[in-house]
Amino acid sequence: MDPSEKKTVKVAVIGSGLAGLTSAYLLSQNEQFEPHIFEKGEKLGMDAASISVGSKEKFRVDVPMRSFMSGYYSHLLRLYQHLNISFIPAKFSFGWYRIRAPFNNNNDNTATDGNSHEQLYIPTDQAASETVNQSQLTYSGSRTIGMLESPESRATNFNEYLYEIYLSCWKLYIVSVSYLWLMGLALWLHHRGQLKNRDHVIYRMTLGDWFRCRRFHPYFVHDIFVPLFAAVCTNSWKSMLDYPAVDVLEYMAVGLFQESFVVSGGVRHIVDRLASPLQHIHLQTCIVSIKPSSIPGYKLELQDASGQLHNFHHVIFATQGNQALNILQQCQTHLCKNNNENDNDNVYDTLSKDIESASDILRQFRYDKAIVVNHTDTRLLPSNPKSWRSLNLASLDSSVQLSTKNDVTIPFPHDTTMTTHILTMTHNTNQVLKEHLDGDDIYMQTTNPCISPLPEKILSKAWFERATVTLTSKKAIFDGLFTPSDNQNVTSSLQLGRCQGNSGIWFVGSYCWPGIPLLEGCVASSEKVVSEGIALAEGISMDVPW
């Protein structure tokens, strides 16, 4: 065929996060594809909430934090290497602390549940000045092997000192033994392939069920492990306990001896390089309707909020699943209205059925809201600066009752981890301070704060929704989005599910890929949909270039 006669395949990509940008970038690598990105915001999504700080505004703060580790993020790492993205080790250390009423006895129930006999009732925006942030445990070193330490003594007499020694030894013993037992079990299950075997009993267990079955100590589960992983997954403690056990254990096994990294200069470099070959980017454009195209050769007609029409051969939803569901439900309303007015009922009926089938899958996903606040208010850190770590994990003690709400905190009751990331402790601090920052300000990013920074010290705030995995949503992925392609019921190889590509509609994103919804799923799902879905449907040979 004469190259001039080749069909140009127009593909709409709704959403401009990493999944949308990767999909459009992949399509742009073949001249037969013409990708169009539709983004309802003013900026491309992956870097839209990020900020630059310091007097020179050269220190870039990614919002939310975009760290990754080499073992678990194989697809992401290959993409970054292909784009010549430079990344540097992130020296993460961890500290656990409680936000308490100041009149509590230091030794009061610390070892078990942190409950107190007296309570402090206070407005949320005053809590940072009236509470005490009491360190419980710190961890420093590499990601896998490091040192656990108890906080400095607060004893005022010899009896209290002896009790603190006993309490510290007890904590260190429980945490150390529990962690080693947990890693041993995760590695064994991973080695035996049981974490990917859908017929194995563990595949039907939540993390909470598995911890109870294995009789892990409640202190390790509820005071150490769940707060840490709730920070990683940006969800509530209840959602974390409802997580499929296999996803968390796989993350731990694959991440053994792996280090974390952050992109040098921020993810804006990734956005710039993925967007550089794209010629059709529609910002501030919200898609409100999809129906069969009336133009011969095209499958779908998209209408945006301004009434403009766009015709395409394929549409990729690169949004969160609930956002895709909202658009599809609006489409169903328009289809019902237009069906009776159109002669081609079969086409409308087919699209309506395909949308309903996909909607049934998307309804199975659950989401937690999260807020990320960048600020310079050190009152949100442990009261003793010697207990500060790069990631500081706080829980709100029951002795503190917050009586009001505001727009920079998660409402009470605070069933999640307040995670404060000291940005300049993550990597080469001295170099960062000398080259990019002036003054003595400590820049922090707090996710899901329960107490408020001072308004004058807030640099930015942004609300997000994060998919949280359940046994039901995990089953939905395999039922409709990405299905195991072998005969042994393992998830090591996946093929496109029954809801992918129907009527030219496709789904990508972190939520629709097995495992913890992270950047890895954005890249992996985009690779699969573009190379094995759209390209194959159009008879175009395409290899992923990384």
Side-chain angles (χ1 to χ4, degrees):
M1 179 184 292
D2 187 350
S4 63
E5 298 178 1
K6 286 184 178 179
K7 171 186 174 183
T8 297
V9 181
K10 292 182 65 177
V11 182
V13 180
I14 302 176
S16 64
L18 181 59
L21 288 171
T22 302
S23 299
Y25 178 87
L26 273 172
L27 291 164
S28 72
Q29 302 304 293
N30 189 297
E31 61 183 6
Q32 286 188 251
F33 289 111
E34 182 184 303
H36 290 243
I37 282 187
F38 292 90
E39 169 56 52
K40 65 180 180 180
E42 297 179 355
K43 300 177 181 178
L44 292 174
M46 188 181 185
D47 190 52
S50 301
I51 63 171
S52 296
V53 299
S55 60
K56 300 177 183 178
E57 292 193 349
K58 290 185 178 180
F59 183 52
R60 191 67 171 176
V61 180
D62 291 334
V63 181
M65 183 174 61
R66 307 284 191 175
S67 65
F68 64 97
M69 65 178 180
S70 54
Y72 193 79
Y73 293 76
S74 57
H75 293 265
L76 182 75
L77 185 59
R78 289 195 295 269
L79 171 63
Y80 284 1
Q81 291 170 339
H82 167 77
L83 298 174
N84 292 319
I85 298 295
S86 61
F87 42 86
I88 52 180
K91 301 298 183 182
F92 286 129
S93 55
F94 304 92
W96 291 261
Y97 64 106
R98 279 202 187 96
I99 300 171
R100 290 177 172 273
F103 43 72
N104 292 341
N105 187 308
N106 288 337
N107 296 328
D108 195 19
N109 296 321
T110 302
T112 53
D113 57 12
N115 293 328
S116 306
H117 299 299
E118 298 180 90
Q119 291 186 324
L120 173 67
Y121 293 88
I122 190 169
T124 302
D125 55 3
Q126 298 177 23
S129 299
E130 301 294 333
T131 54
V132 174
N133 299 344
Q134 189 177 95
S135 178
Q136 303 294 308
L137 196 70
T138 58
Y139 174 89
S140 304
S142 68
R143 185 183 186 94
T144 305
I145 300 176
M147 179 180 295
L148 283 171
E149 299 174 281
S150 291
E152 286 190 343
S153 174
R154 299 179 295 272
T156 58
N157 56 56
F158 184 69
N159 287 337
E160 287 183 1
Y161 180 71
L162 288 179
Y163 181 78
E164 282 194 355
I165 292 177
Y166 159 75
L167 197 59
S168 296
C169 292
W170 182 88
K171 286 182 181 179
L172 295 176
Y173 171 78
I174 291 296
V175 174
S176 299
V177 171
S178 298
Y179 173 75
L180 292 173
W181 177 232
L182 177 60
M183 284 303 307
L185 289 173
L187 289 170
W188 174 250
L189 292 167
H190 174 72
H191 173 72
R192 295 291 299 271
Q194 293 171 351
L195 297 179
K196 293 184 178 296
N197 184 349
R198 293 197 293 160
D199 288 333
H200 195 275
V201 63
I202 194 175
Y203 220 85
R204 299 184 292 275
M205 298 180 72
T206 66
L207 182 65
D209 292 337
W210 187 78
F211 274 137
R212 285 189 292 271
C213 179
R214 292 296 180 178
R215 299 183 181 277
F216 277 83
H217 197 282
Y219 175 75
F220 174 76
V221 174
H222 299 289
D223 288 52
I224 304 299
F225 189 87
V226 168
L228 174 59
F229 262 79
V232 172
C233 299
T234 325
N235 58 11
S236 70
W237 297 326
K238 181 182 184 305
S239 295
M240 199 68 249
L241 291 170
D242 288 340
Y243 239 73
V246 294
D247 288 348
V248 177
L249 296 173
E250 181 76 7
Y251 182 89
M252 295 191 65
V254 174
L256 183 65
F257 299 121
Q258 303 293 328
E259 289 300 327
S260 296
F261 299 89
V262 291
V263 174
S264 180
V267 297
R268 58 182 170 180
H269 298 310
I270 301 166
V271 173
D272 291 342
R273 293 179 192 180
L274 287 174
S276 60
L278 305 181
Q279 300 178 10
H280 307 280
I281 297 176
H282 310 270
L283 298 176
Q284 294 181 279
T285 305
C286 181
I287 299 300
V288 297
S289 172
I290 301 175
K291 65 180 182 179
S293 176
S294 58
I295 298 179
Y298 291 100
K299 288 182 181 179
L300 299 166
E301 179 184 272
L302 279 62
Q303 181 178 342
D304 62 33
S306 67
Q308 186 173 353
L309 302 178
H310 313 264
N311 289 277
F312 292 95
H313 298 93
H314 300 273
V315 174
I316 299 175
F317 279 94
T319 64
Q320 289 278 26
N322 58 346
Q323 296 171 5
L325 178 62
N326 288 337
I327 296 175
L328 290 176
Q329 288 176 333
Q330 293 179 40
C331 296
Q332 283 287 55
T333 302
H334 287 284
L335 286 173
C336 291
K337 290 180 180 179
N338 293 330
N339 196 4
N340 295 329
E341 304 171 4
N342 198 287
D343 295 333
N344 196 354
D345 291 343
N346 289 336
V347 176
Y348 273 77
D349 286 343
T350 300
L351 178 58
S352 181
K353 290 177 181 177
D354 290 339
I355 287 178
E356 185 57 38
S357 178
S359 297
D360 287 341
I361 293 296
L362 297 177
R363 290 188 186 100
Q364 308 305 313
F365 294 89
R366 197 169 80 191
Y367 296 83
D368 283 345
K369 287 188 176 181
I371 184 172
V372 178
V373 181
N374 290 295
H375 61 95
T376 58
D377 192 347
T378 57
R379 298 179 307 161
L380 272 64
L381 295 170
S383 299
N384 186 347
K386 292 183 179 179
S387 298
W388 294 359
R389 295 296 183 266
S390 56
L391 288 176
N392 302 275
L393 312 172
S395 58
L396 188 65
D397 191 73
S398 60
S399 64
V400 180
Q401 299 291 319
L402 303 178
S403 57
T404 60
K405 301 178 181 178
N406 60 32
D407 62 349
V408 294
T409 59
I410 292 292
F412 187 85
H414 194 263
D415 180 32
T416 188
T417 306
M418 183 179 89
T419 307
T420 299
H421 176 201
I422 303 178
L423 299 166
T424 49
M425 288 181 67
T426 301
H427 38 273
N428 195 330
T429 305
N430 291 330
Q431 181 180 350
V432 170
L433 288 172
K434 288 179 181 178
E435 293 184 2
H436 302 313
L437 301 178
D438 293 331
D440 298 324
D441 282 339
I442 297 174
Y443 290 92
M444 289 160 283
Q445 182 176 109
T446 298
T447 303
N448 290 337
C450 55
I451 56 178
S452 305
L454 288 170
E456 62 269 24
K457 294 196 174 186
I458 295 176
L459 305 173
S460 72
K461 57 187 177 183
W463 284 90
F464 297 91
E465 281 188 317
R466 181 71 175 270
T468 181
V469 187
T470 64
L471 295 175
T472 300
S473 69
K474 191 174 184 68
K475 183 176 182 295
I477 292 174
F478 294 132
D479 283 349
L481 297 173
F482 293 96
T483 306
S485 57
D486 48 60
N487 296 322
Q488 298 180 355
N489 254 359
V490 298
T491 62
S492 54
S493 71
L494 297 172
Q495 63 184 5
L496 295 169
R498 61 179 174 85
C499 290
Q500 295 279 20
N502 296 334
S503 296
I505 297 176
W506 309 82
F507 301 91
V508 299
S510 61
Y511 77 93
C512 65
W513 190 257
I516 298 175
L518 298 167
L519 296 177
E520 174 73 1
C522 295
V523 179
S525 61
S526 299
E527 292 175 5
K528 186 74 70 172
V529 161
V530 171
S531 63
E532 299 181 20
I534 296 175
L536 191 62
E538 296 295 337
I540 299 173
S541 177
M542 172 178 282
D543 294 323
V544 176
W546 51 80

